[in-house]
Amino acid sequence: MQCLPEPLEAHYGGGIIRNSDFSGGLEGWSSFGYGAIAEGSSAAGNRYGVAVNRTRPYQSVSQKVYLQNDTHYTLSAWLQVSDGSADVIAVVKTNGEFIHAGGVDARSGCWTILKGGLTAAAAGPAELYFESNATVDVWVDNVSLQPFSQEEWSAHHDASIKKSRKKTVRFHAKDSSGNPVPGAQVRIDHVRNGFPLGSAMSGEILSNPAYQRWFTSRFTVTTFENEMKWYSTERVQGREDYSVPDAMMAFAKTHGISVRGHNVFWDDPNSQPAWAKWLSGDQLKRATAKRIRSVMSRYAGQVIAWDVVNENVHFSFYENKLGSEASAAFYRKSHEMDNVANMFMNDYNTLEQPGDYNAIPNKYLGKLWQIKKFPGNGNAARMAIGLEGHFTVPNMPYIRAALDTMSKANVPIWLTEIDVRKGPNQAQHLEMILREVYAHPAVHGIILWTAWHPQGCYVMCLTDNNFRNLPTGDVVDKLIQEWKTHSHAGVADDEGFYEAELFHGDYNVTVTHPVANSTVTQSLISVHRDYSPDNIFTIHV
């Protein structure tokens, strides 16, 4: 995260915030929570607001605003604290509700940006303030709260999808002598989606043909829900059993479905093999070394990714037992065992809960930097970010802001476990989330956490027990169709060129000579995020 000697200018000129840069002193600002506020200034003459002598988390600099109905608001603010570091959460009080709108780990001596947002469910007055459990002074500057209508928000999706998920591709029809073929008929048929969209898979798929047909007709990538986890493969110490994940891997391969390895370890103390919880440090060190060798030697080269230490932002079972760099050491060893797959951190609430101090974006990134700085874990270690995405009511502006922040790491980001709690708007919320994350250029793949079980799914199912779509399943099917190029035909120009805008994916291209009436089909032309527009596919017909 940036930590600057002076803050940058407020986004959108501050939006609806008055005196956003405090150039007018404290005009427009007030104290919140019976606190005291003061004006501060730097040696360079920059002016800012300060919440001083704080004894309660909510004592803050604040501003009253008026929110419009059904409007998205992006929020940003530059923050600093008087001593050390402290978690600061932006809160909007409206209609008696306190909405967490973003958070950051602020520090003394430099300014850090908080990015977030919220959606106003109803028009009315509101008050923005900044909350911190630490009793340090909180400095605030260059605040922005910018409204966007639903139409403007959707227009951004469309523009971002066009830029990030599509390519303009040129084909050149030539005859056997290498001469252009004007008027050649060109047909492009979609074969496979290029953007990885998948679902978690349960072991029930091995014996259920209906589940198999439903799954393989939709998804190109999967994560085994529980079957590869340590507590599943070694229920009794020393007695390993990979028969179920082996069979699931074989099934996935047969149907061309990529697999994410989930997981090598899980830092939650309640998610260990029962016998591992009571091992001494030395015993656990030997057991973890055996686990890495066992699972990774078995599936290296067969998976596209590993969740190496699951949820190590929230939990620290291995750090408590083996030392503060336990996770970092696991990542180094994992990369040594498989230097092709991406090595993911995987955790929850970075997108779902702006008020979770443990999971705010720069806390997550801090853990990522710690792991990458460990000897052997530089850029070559293929680190990646996994954001689970277990949502109740999604905050769309916050999701976008958090992804913007996480993208600064310049590593692949996946949504790894998306689901939405049951409620009257479950399907609508799922569609909103999927559209938001698909449109973000930093997102490289999506996994829905919807492994089917006859007794019910973890949180969200896509079908009933007869594999008829539920409303959530209809949403997924609709978007799968929307996010691919449907077959179409055209005619090459006078120089034999034909141009088409295509979603990332694999295609068959059929070209027919207008005079000789000869036809050639070129299979599996691949269009992907690294495709260069200067690359022209030449087809001889």
Side-chain angles (χ1 to χ4, degrees), residues 27-45:
E27 180 185 351
W29 296 92
S30 57
S31 63
F32 189 89
Y34 304 101
I37 63 171
E39 181 184 345
S41 63
S42 70

Side-chain angles (χ1 to χ4, degrees), residues 309-359:
V309 187
N310 202 45
E311 298 178 353
N312 63 345
V313 176
H314 281 93
F315 302 109
S316 56
F317 174 79
Y318 294 103
E319 285 75 10
N320 293 340
K321 292 271 191 174
L322 303 176
S324 61
E325 294 184 322
S327 285
F330 290 149
Y331 277 87
R332 181 176 67 184
K333 183 62 178 177
S334 296
H335 179 64
E336 291 171 358
M337 295 290 297
D338 186 345
N339 62 7
V340 176
N342 284 324
M343 302 292 155
F344 277 77
M345 287 177 56
N346 191 53
D347 223 302
Y348 61 91
N349 276 358
T350 300
L351 300 184
E352 306 97 305
Q353 296 292 343
D356 184 343
Y357 285 98
N358 291 314

Side-chain angles (χ1 to χ4, degrees), residues 525-539:
I525 289 175
S526 184
V527 179
H528 47 79
R529 67 164 57 226
D530 296 324
Y531 170 83
S532 169
D534 296 328
N535 185 14
I536 299 173
F537 292 109
T538 300
I539 300 176

Side-chain angles (χ1 to χ4, degrees), residues 265-325:
F265 297 111
W266 195 345
D267 234 343
D268 183 351
N270 294 319
S271 300
Q272 309 305 317
W275 53 267
K277 297 178 184 180
W278 315 112
L279 298 180
S280 68
D282 287 342
Q283 290 170 330
L284 184 62
K285 187 175 182 179
R286 290 192 294 271
T288 55
K290 179 175 178 286
R291 163 64 176 173
I292 291 181
R293 289 194 303 271
S294 175
V295 70
M296 298 198 74
S297 64
R298 196 173 197 92
Y299 298 120
Q302 300 185 69
V303 300
I304 61 170
W306 291 98
D307 293 331
V308 179
V309 187
N310 202 45
E311 298 178 353
N312 63 345
V313 176
H314 281 93
F315 302 109
S316 56
F317 174 79
Y318 294 103
E319 285 75 10
N320 293 340
K321 292 271 191 174
L322 303 176
S324 61
E325 294 184 322

